[in-house]
Amino acid sequence: MARNVAQLNVVQNARPLAQNEPNFFLPEEEELSRRFLEDGYVIVPVENRIALDRLRATVAEAAAKWLGVDTPSDAGTFLDNIHARAPYDRINEMRLSVINSLNTQPWVSRAYFSLARKTVETLVGNELAMQRRLNLSVQMPNDETSVLPVHADVWDGDSPFEVVQWTPLVDCKGTKAMFLLPPKADARHAAEFRRFDGKSVEDLFRAIEPDVIWPEVKYGETMVFSLNLMHGNRVNFEPGTRWSFNCRLKGLFSPYADKRLGEFFEPITVRAASRFGLDYAYLEGFDE
Ligand SMILES: O=C(O)CCC(=O)C(=O)O
Ligand SMILES: [Fe+2]
């Protein structure tokens, strides 16, 4: 808890957005930042469609292998309709097999970063740490076992300086997507949290439900959102299966919580000046 208070002080002191303070952003950077602060997320077209298509084809291939069927020619349709072939009681096993096979391939993290590099650099910084392993969600229609109830990742070991980059492999809307509580509503509900002592996450969801939004994210787009805000998903009542990646990114030098650099995160864009700085050893006996 002490850690969180210290981090909040850092945030208050460093908050650059008060009026009359200098702002050296380009107009498009300022607009993106404004949207992120106001809505808690931004959705942008991917910057590297070839990388997204390759990621999707690799997922489809791994899923087909697990199912023992031919590699599909249309990866999108195959993934969207996987519930017609995949056993509901083994969906988590399939999901883990697919994501483990992706995470052994060194190109995958680099390809994922290339989907939203400019957006992440604008919102987070250009000297970054990235989650070592991508996560994958698979939510087949009416599957209650894959639901991730309302939470904020900061409640469970993530630093409030992290963002999540969330990228679907199929078009997502309604309950096939995830939900998010925008910043103003999140602050209002968080202030009333005491009322939830001893209540369930379902009670919490019912309380926030009128204020949550379900961002529509199509294949070809990626979403970046703040994991300080309450979010999660519900049973997917849309006809198709949801497939989405999520991956956390943060400023290399911003405060860490339980998810450490070198364990959960790896540095991906250490700048030359920082390398000099990190390597520098002050001369001993030279105090004058
Ligand atoms: O994909 C979802 O529905 C939720 C993802 C999530 O909670 C996260 O990435 O932090
Ligand atoms: Fe989360």
Side-chain angles (χ1 to χ4, degrees):
M1 276 302 113
R3 182 193 66 229
N4 289 343
V5 172
Q7 285 181 348
L8 285 179
N9 287 339
V10 172
V11 177
Q12 305 292 341
N13 295 338
R15 181 167 279 163
L17 294 154
Q19 280 167 3
N20 305 326
E21 287 186 18
N23 167 4
F24 288 11
F25 288 124
L26 299 171
E28 61 271 23
E29 293 171 333
E30 192 173 349
E31 172 59 16
L32 192 76
S33 304
R34 189 194 59 70
R35 273 168 50 202
F36 185 68
L37 286 166
E38 197 162 303
D39 301 335
Y41 72 94
V42 294
I43 296 168
V44 293
V46 294
E47 290 165 29
N48 185 349
R49 178 63 187 244
I50 291 170
L52 180 63
D53 288 347
R54 188 168 171 211
L55 286 163
R56 183 176 68 172
T58 309
V59 166
E61 198 180 325
K65 195 169 160 200
W66 189 87
L67 287 167
V69 300
D70 288 343
T71 300
S73 53
D74 179 346
T77 304
F78 173 77
L79 294 176
D80 209 44
N81 290 301
I82 203 93
H83 50 280
R85 308 164 178 248
Y88 272 70
D89 60 347
R90 294 184 64 200
I91 189 63
N92 195 42
E93 206 182 308
M94 182 191 77
R95 182 183 70 82
L96 290 172
S97 160
V98 170
I99 195 59
N100 288 340
S101 105
L102 253 79
N103 280 324
T104 60
Q105 302 179 44
W107 62 273
V108 163
S109 281
R110 191 180 284 262
Y112 197 75
F113 179 55
S114 77
L115 302 179
R117 180 180 180 136
K118 287 203 187 90
T119 300
V120 170
E121 288 189 342
T122 300
L123 297 175
V124 183
N126 69 4
E127 196 156 36
L128 294 163
M130 181 176 179
Q131 187 176 331
R132 280 182 185 278
R133 295 169 56 84
L134 297 185
N135 295 330
L136 178 70
S137 300
V138 181
Q139 281 174 295
M140 303 204 289
N142 306 312
D143 174 18
E144 292 177 6
T145 65
S146 301
V147 170
L148 185 57
V150 58
H151 66 282
D153 295 39
V154 280
W155 297 347
D156 197 23
D158 285 270
S159 154
F161 293 83
E162 296 169 27
V163 299
V164 178
Q165 185 188 329
W166 189 98
T167 311
L169 300 177
V170 292
D171 294 344
C172 288
K173 66 172 168 60
T175 51
K176 189 179 177 184
M178 51 169 274
F179 67 80
L180 182 80
L181 189 61
K184 286 200 183 88
D186 186 85
R188 204 170 60 242
H189 286 286
E192 290 179 4
F193 248 31
R194 265 177 223 283
R195 286 199 295 123
F196 288 96
D197 271 0
K199 297 229 173 97
S200 69
V201 281
E202 185 61 20
D203 295 328
L204 179 54
F205 178 74
R206 291 291 167 213
I208 68 171
E209 190 174 7
D211 297 316
V212 304
I213 50 142
W214 302 82
E216 179 173 352
V217 193
K218 296 205 165 75
Y219 182 68
E221 297 176 325
T222 186
M223 172 163 72
V224 177
F225 70 90
S226 167
L227 49 64
N228 302 353
L229 303 169
M230 289 181 242
H231 61 275
N233 57 53
R234 304 289 288 174
V235 174
N236 173 8
F237 289 126
E238 296 288 324
T241 295
R242 187 242 277 204
W243 293 76
S244 61
F245 288 119
N246 66 73
C247 180
R248 280 141 204 78
L249 290 131
K250 68 185 291 300
L252 178 62
F253 295 114
S254 65
Y256 289 79
D258 296 343
K259 295 184 174 165
R260 302 279 171 194
L261 188 62
E263 296 168 10
F264 186 85
F265 286 105
E266 65 183 342
I268 57 164
T269 52
V270 185
R271 300 288 155 167
S274 297
R275 288 199 187 277
F276 263 125
L278 291 166
D279 286 347
Y280 190 73
Y282 284 92
L283 298 177
E284 278 179 41
F286 199 65
D287 297 337
E288 289 299 299

